């Protein structure tokens, strides 16, 4: 079953690909997982909103992720939707779609882990290299601005 997302000292920590649930899940389970990951971010960053099934469906309809397998989503779907839901906290829908195209053009697991490491490193106050690091720094900066 779904593993709980890990947090750093009670704070936000973006899970690595291998930490994502590896079983097929319905939309409600995917949504619950994203909301558990985002919970440590606080209301100001989340702007009092929770991630919903309609939002997940819109990412699929918008072409960000492939269609569900039957009515279920796999780990790759979750990786893309978690990225989009996290980036959407700070970036516009157009920016999120462009960023996903830049980061996830190849291997989803490798792209997810590169982004996760960059986000976690940047939020810990350490520099993160490369384009994933630049995106993570922009995300961290916007999250900090929202939290202030």
């Amino acid at each position: 079953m779904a593993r709980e997302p890990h947090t750093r000292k009670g704070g936000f920590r973006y899970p690595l690909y291998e930490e994502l649930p590896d079983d097929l899940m319905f939309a409600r389970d995917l949504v619950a997982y994203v909301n558990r990951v985002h919970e440590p971010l606080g209301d100001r960053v989340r702007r009092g909103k929770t991630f919903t099934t309609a939002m997940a469906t819109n990412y699929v309809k918008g072409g960000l992720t492939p269609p569900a397998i039957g009515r279920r989503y796999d780990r790759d779907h979750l990786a893309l939707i978690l990225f989009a839901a996290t980036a959407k906290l700070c970036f516009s829908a157009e920016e999120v779609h462009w960023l996903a195209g830049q980061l996830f053009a190849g291997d989803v697991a490798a792209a997810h882990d590169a982004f996760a490491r960059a986000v976690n490193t940047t939020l810990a106050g350490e520099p993160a290299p490369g384009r994933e690091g630049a995106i993570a720094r922009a995300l961290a900066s916007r999250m900090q601005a929202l939290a202030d």
Side-chain angles (χ1 to χ4, degrees):
M1 198 61 204
R3 287 175 245 160
E4 291 298 315
H6 301 280
T7 59
R8 178 182 316 183
K9 295 181 184 175
F12 177 75
R13 182 180 170 284
Y14 200 88
L16 294 172
Y17 188 82
E18 72 178 30
E19 296 170 330
L20 298 176
D22 60 356
D23 48 343
L24 292 175
M25 60 177 65
F26 289 104
R28 69 177 177 272
D29 302 317
L30 181 141
V31 167
Y33 185 86
V34 170
N35 284 321
R36 284 192 306 272
V37 170
H38 285 173
E39 187 175 5
L41 292 174
D43 271 348
R44 290 196 62 179
V45 173
R46 288 182 288 134
R47 294 171 282 175
K49 297 179 182 176
T50 58
F51 188 70
T52 66
T53 304
M55 292 173 182
T57 302
N58 286 338
Y59 289 138
V60 174
K61 287 181 182 176
L64 186 72
T65 68
I69 302 163
R71 292 179 42 212
R72 294 185 177 192
Y73 297 87
D74 65 13
R75 189 182 277 184
D76 283 357
H77 287 108
L78 178 57
L80 288 160
I81 289 173
L82 180 60
F83 164 78
T86 304
K88 185 68 174 96
L89 295 171
C90 303
F91 297 109
S92 71
E94 294 79 22
E95 290 170 318
V96 169
H97 200 79
W98 184 84
L99 290 170
Q102 296 297 304
L103 294 174
F104 291 91
D107 180 11
V108 172
H112 176 88
D113 282 350
F115 181 72
R117 283 189 298 274
V119 167
N120 292 332
T121 300
T122 301
L123 292 176
E126 301 169 19
R131 71 174 183 232
E132 292 88 0
I135 293 166
R137 285 188 298 279
L139 181 69
S141 173
R142 291 185 187 190
M143 281 183 180
Q144 184 61 44
L146 289 169
D148 288 343

